[in-house]
Structure formats: C-alpha cells, structure tokens
Amino acid sequence: MSGTRPKHKTTWNDYQERILRVLMYIQEHLDEALDLDELARVACFSSFHFHRIFAAMTGETLADHVRRLRLERAAMELRSGAKQVIQVALDAGYEAHEAFTRAFKATYGVSPTASRRATEPIAILAAPSGVHFQQGVPLTRFSTNHINTKVMKVITKKIKPLRVAYLRHVGPYEDTNQTWIDLMARLSADKQIRKRSVFIGMGHDNPSVTPAAALRYDACITVDEDYEPKKPVELQTIAGGDHAVVKNCPVEKIKDAFEFLYGKWLARSSRELRPAPGFLVLVGARDTVAPRKQRVDIYMPLQPKRPLNTAEQMNIEVTTLEPRRVAYMRHVGPYDGASRTWLDFTARLKKDGLLRKDSLFIGVPMDNPKVTPPEKLRYDACVTMDEKYVPTKPVRVRTIAGGDYVVARNCPFGAIARGYEQLFRSWLPKSGRKVRKAPSFVVKVNGPEGMGPAFGVTDIYVPLEVGK
C-alpha cells in the first residue's frame, strides 16, 4: 500500500461519509457543548483515535474547526445587527466580551464593533476542508485535497506481546531524553540491557488535544519474563496482534507519518484501528538514546482482519416476531440521507431519558428506490417504546407487525442493497415462501451506542406469509 490510489474505494468513501456525518452534526449542534466521545460515536470510530482521523481528513483539529464555524456565524450575526454584541459572543461560546473581542480581532483583523459597521463583504476564512458555516444550507461534501503528505511505505505485521519495563514521563514529548537516560541506567544496573532488547516509546495522549504539561509518555525496554523491577520502574505488556508499520522514519518526519497513516493509508486499507496506543520502536537505540538523527519504526494497532462481509456470506434464516411498538421520525428524501434524521431522533430520545439498554433501533424503508424518485422516498427511523410512552411532534408512534420473517444477519450498512438483492433474487425463489404485504425493515446489531442502523451492522427482515 505505497500508492496514492485507493485500493478499496468503498472503504475510502466510507471514511469520508463517516467524517461528513460528524461535520453535519457539528453544524446542527453548534450551540451545544460538543463531546468528543459523542462525535466519535457519530463517526463509528473509537474515541481513542477519532480526533487524529478527524484532524487528518479535515485539516483542522476538532476544537479549531468548531471555533472557526462559531466565529464565522458570529461575523454574519454581527453584520445582520439582529443581536447585541454580548449575545453574539455568548452564542459563540465566549463567557466574556473581552475574550470574544480578542478572538474575533485575531481572526478577522477588526473588532466586532468595526465589523458590524463595515460595508465590504465578510472575509472568507481559510478552511482546508472547504466547510464553512452556512445557515440552513445542507452540508453534502468536504474536501480532502489538503492531505498532501509524501507517500510512505506502510506494511502490516503481526507481533507477539512485548513485556517491557518502563518509566513514565509527564510533560512535552520533546523532553523525554532524561527519562530514557534514567531508565537505561537502572536496567543496565540490573543487567537487562541486551543485544535483543527493544527500545519503545509510547505516547498516550494527542498533543493536539492534551496540554503539553499533561502529556504522558512511557519509555519502555523489553525485559526477561522473570525480571522484577524496582520502583519507580514498572512493568506492562504491550499487546500483540496486527499493526500497520512505517519503517525507518526520521524523527523529524513522525508527524507527517501519523498524518499519512490517519489521513490516507487507513481509509484506503480496508482496516480499522484498535482502541490502543500506537508506539515507536527506536532503531539502533542501544548505544545512543534519542540522537537527533534517530530513526524509528511506527506501529499502529489494527483490528483483526475480517473476511469481506458481502451479501453472499450473510447468514439467512426464518424467525417469528411479536408485534413491536415503536416511536419514529420520518425522513423524506434519498435513503442515504437518513443519518441526519437518526441523529435528530436519538438526540431527542436521549434528552428525554427514553433510550435504554434493551432499546431496538429499526429502520423502515417505505418505498422501492428503483420505482420511487429519490426526493419522494420515505424512511422511518424507529426505536422500541413501552405502552406508556406518549410522543410529542414530530415524533409519532406505530406498531411493526409480528409474524414470520426471513432475516439476513450481520449485514454492513453499506451492503444493505446487496442484502435485499440476495434475499429477493436468490433465497425467496428457492424457498417456496411468499412475501407478505408489510414493510421490510433493518435492525441495528452493533455500532455506536444510542445510534440507529445507519451507523453500523444490521439484520434485514422481510415479512413472509404464513408457511404451509
């Protein structure tokens, strides 16, 4: 995977779609405190790696992106004159007028008051992703053209668990040299520095998110199984398994390598990251610690490689269901735009405390996209509710019919169309069963907690007439 063209185009498109969902969510919840874990769930990424993926693909950190959008909105509100400056400042997330004035002037070059009086067009701020605040205009795309890091060779490698002794450094990552010297001195005294020793640096925090003074870094050296360290040296085991590896990376190129891994290679690789820290293996570090010309091998932990989950590989079975009472919101338009309705619907239910561990998330497409124009397609985002629930508009209640269903298990969201095709063109003609006049639906199996089936793996249910 050293080329720039996507090896798996659908995977690249999937990553873009996941980040686009986050950008849409931010635009629609700009007045709220945006939680990193919540945004990671929207994107179906682990919160451990989400921020780096977002920054690599949009060209901005999450905080910088949100701050810019709020200031762009503030500039528009100032120019309209509908709100007082202090209210504009509060809406932009600033508790003090002075802080807002400083931030606005640093961004636009003029004070908020001067901007309100100006007659020339509002300056357009630099946005690597091409995403700007636009009131009431649906966000449909973003640009990744800013990802211009030099192509690096990445290999995948399975490693065994590594038992290491380590000392923890807290502070800027550039200041770890003394920690390494201390660790080497202690392990040398214990005769644990060998020719086969592996020197590993593990950063636990993202410097784009965590203040430099709070960054955690473990200086690690592999040790024998029977070695028992003396305080302050401690032991840990670095998990084995699959890793993406950039070999012989110069120290000054580490940032570029991470950007390439998160922004290009990962989205083109068909692989997912494991929620665990990556690490650096110091090349030739046995004699000199952290020299200026040091090279490193960068290891990023990957989820186990799964076989391609296609419609043909899905488990198909017949089951009988009881009727289900559900609350729902209707989406009208292309089915691939239903994620916006799911975000709105689940936010409402979560706010009212109506999401439970046993809630089922069900998507009901009402129309055949081969017959109905895209703009008229109807889709109901549904969540199971008890009999006592009373909805408030725009949420409504319906009952999903019970009875016999044929089910295609564990279908990825992106393969739903193929799943339906497999059921209708292959399974049904061979089964002798007939489809009942009732809507089919999909039920979320896994994915982000509290999110609907537009965000994970689903089971497809097609209603059947009673069998003979």
Side-chain angles (χ1 to χ4, degrees):
M1 271 302 299
S2 59
T4 57
R5 294 183 64 187
K7 184 177 180 180
H8 299 274
K9 186 177 179 181
T10 55
T11 307
W12 173 246
N13 292 342
D14 175 59
Y15 269 63
Q16 287 185 307
E17 169 62 25
R18 289 154 80 175
I19 294 299
L20 179 61
R21 287 203 301 261
V22 175
L23 295 171
M24 291 164 52
Y25 186 91
I26 291 171
Q27 292 261 3
E28 294 168 1
H29 297 79
L30 206 51
D31 287 326
E32 303 174 16
L34 293 163
D35 179 70
L36 183 65
D37 290 338
E38 179 72 15
L39 294 176
R41 283 193 291 272
V42 170
C44 290
F45 289 122
S46 74
S47 55
F48 199 95
H49 296 287
F50 164 67
H51 191 278
R52 287 187 185 272
I53 295 172
F54 179 91
M57 294 196 71
T58 66
E60 292 178 297
T61 67
L62 185 60
D64 287 343
H65 181 78
V66 172
R67 186 183 303 112
R68 178 175 59 78
L69 289 186
R70 287 173 173 168
L71 286 172
E72 288 181 345
R73 183 181 63 178
M76 294 179 186
E77 290 176 339
L78 287 168
R79 192 62 61 88
S80 72
K83 295 181 180 179
Q84 294 182 348
V85 175
I86 185 59
Q87 186 59 52
V88 174
L90 292 172
D91 291 346
Y94 294 87
E95 297 181 359
H97 182 280
E98 293 77 9
F100 172 65
T101 299
R102 286 195 299 270
F104 191 91
K105 189 171 184 178
T107 302
Y108 282 99
V110 296
S111 69
T113 303
S115 179
R116 166 163 283 179
R117 293 196 300 261
T119 57
E120 64 271 12
I122 299 171
I124 298 176
L125 303 180
S129 63
V131 174
H132 295 277
F133 176 78
Q134 297 185 71
Q135 185 71 48
V137 179
L139 183 62
T140 59
R141 63 177 298 276
F142 72 100
S143 172
T144 57
N145 292 334
H146 62 276
I147 307 177
N148 54 13
T149 50
K150 184 179 178 180
V151 172
M152 298 181 178
K153 184 176 181 180
V154 181
I155 64 172
T156 55
K157 181 178 181 181
K158 180 172 286 189
I159 66 171
K160 295 181 179 179
L162 299 169
R163 187 175 189 262
V164 298
Y166 74 99
L167 281 175
R168 175 157 292 180
H169 164 83
V170 179
Y173 285 154
E174 298 81 9
D175 298 340
T176 61
N177 195 49
Q178 187 57 49
T179 304
W180 275 110
I181 292 172
D182 191 8
L183 178 64
M184 285 192 67
R186 293 173 184 273
L187 293 188
S188 292
D190 291 339
K191 298 182 179 180
Q192 287 295 312
I193 304 294
R194 316 281 177 79
K195 286 185 177 181
R196 65 177 183 272
S197 295
V198 181
F199 293 69
I200 299 169
M202 180 181 292
H204 290 272
D205 302 295
N206 184 343
S208 298
V209 179
T210 306
L215 292 172
R216 297 166 301 162
Y217 175 96
D218 292 344
C220 312
I221 298 177
T222 53
V223 292
D224 295 338
E225 287 298 323
D226 58 354
Y227 174 67
E228 292 298 331
K230 306 178 185 68
K231 293 289 185 179
V233 178
E234 297 185 71
L235 289 174
Q236 65 173 300
T237 299
I238 297 174
D242 287 355
H243 288 73
V245 186
V246 178
K247 300 284 287 185
N248 291 307
C249 177
V251 169
E252 67 272 15
K253 296 293 184 181
I254 289 176
K255 183 178 179 180
D256 291 341
F258 274 108
E259 182 176 331
F260 179 77
L261 279 168
Y262 282 105
K264 282 188 177 179
W265 183 86
L266 185 63
R268 291 165 161 81
S269 69
S270 80
R271 303 301 296 266
E272 293 276 353
L273 290 173
R274 224 180 324 141
F279 55 88
L280 312 178
V281 174
L282 281 63
V283 178
R286 188 169 167 273
D287 300 318
T288 57
V289 176
R292 290 184 178 182
K293 295 185 178 180
Q294 180 71 59
R295 288 180 174 265
V296 299
D297 294 342
I298 301 174
Y299 284 72
M300 293 300 300
L302 299 173
Q303 298 282 11
K305 190 171 185 178
R306 301 182 180 93
L308 291 178
N309 192 353
T310 65
E312 290 73 18
Q313 296 171 312
M314 288 184 295
N315 179 32
I316 298 176
E317 63 186 39
V318 175
T319 188
T320 302
L321 299 181
E322 295 295 324
R324 296 279 189 180
R325 185 175 188 262
V326 297
Y328 74 97
M329 281 182 62
R330 176 157 292 179
H331 164 80
V332 178
Y335 284 152
D336 58 9
S339 57
R340 185 187 298 265
T341 301
W342 273 113
L343 291 171
D344 185 12
F345 186 34
T346 54
R348 291 171 185 269
L349 296 180
K350 186 176 181 180
K351 182 179 179 181
D352 294 338
L354 295 170
L355 292 183
R356 306 185 310 193
K357 289 185 177 180
D358 60 350
S359 295
L360 291 180
F361 295 79
I362 303 170
V364 184
M366 306 293 291
D367 302 293
N368 184 345
K370 293 184 179 180
V371 177
T372 305
E375 68 275 8
K376 293 184 178 180
L377 292 171
R378 298 166 299 162
Y379 174 99
D380 290 345
C382 310
V383 176
T384 51
M385 290 290 160
D386 59 33
E387 293 298 325
K388 297 179 181 179
Y389 171 70
V390 178
T392 56
K393 291 184 178 180
V395 179
R396 291 181 283 180
V397 168
R398 64 182 291 180
T399 298
I400 293 178
D404 285 357
Y405 286 82
V406 57
V407 189
R409 300 286 186 190
N410 297 315
C411 178
F413 176 67
I416 287 178
R418 296 199 303 274
Y420 273 110
E421 184 175 342
Q422 176 74 2
L423 287 172
F424 280 92
R425 291 192 178 184
S426 179
W427 186 89
L428 279 166
K430 296 176 182 178
S431 70
R433 300 295 295 267
K434 293 184 178 181
V435 176
R436 182 164 28 110
K437 290 184 178 180
S440 62
F441 54 87
V442 295
V443 178
K444 172 191 153 183
V445 176
N446 64 19
E449 182 180 351
M451 289 293 174
F455 300 90
V457 174
T458 63
D459 290 344
I460 303 173
Y461 286 75
V462 175
L464 300 173
E465 291 185 354
V466 177
K468 296 180 181 180

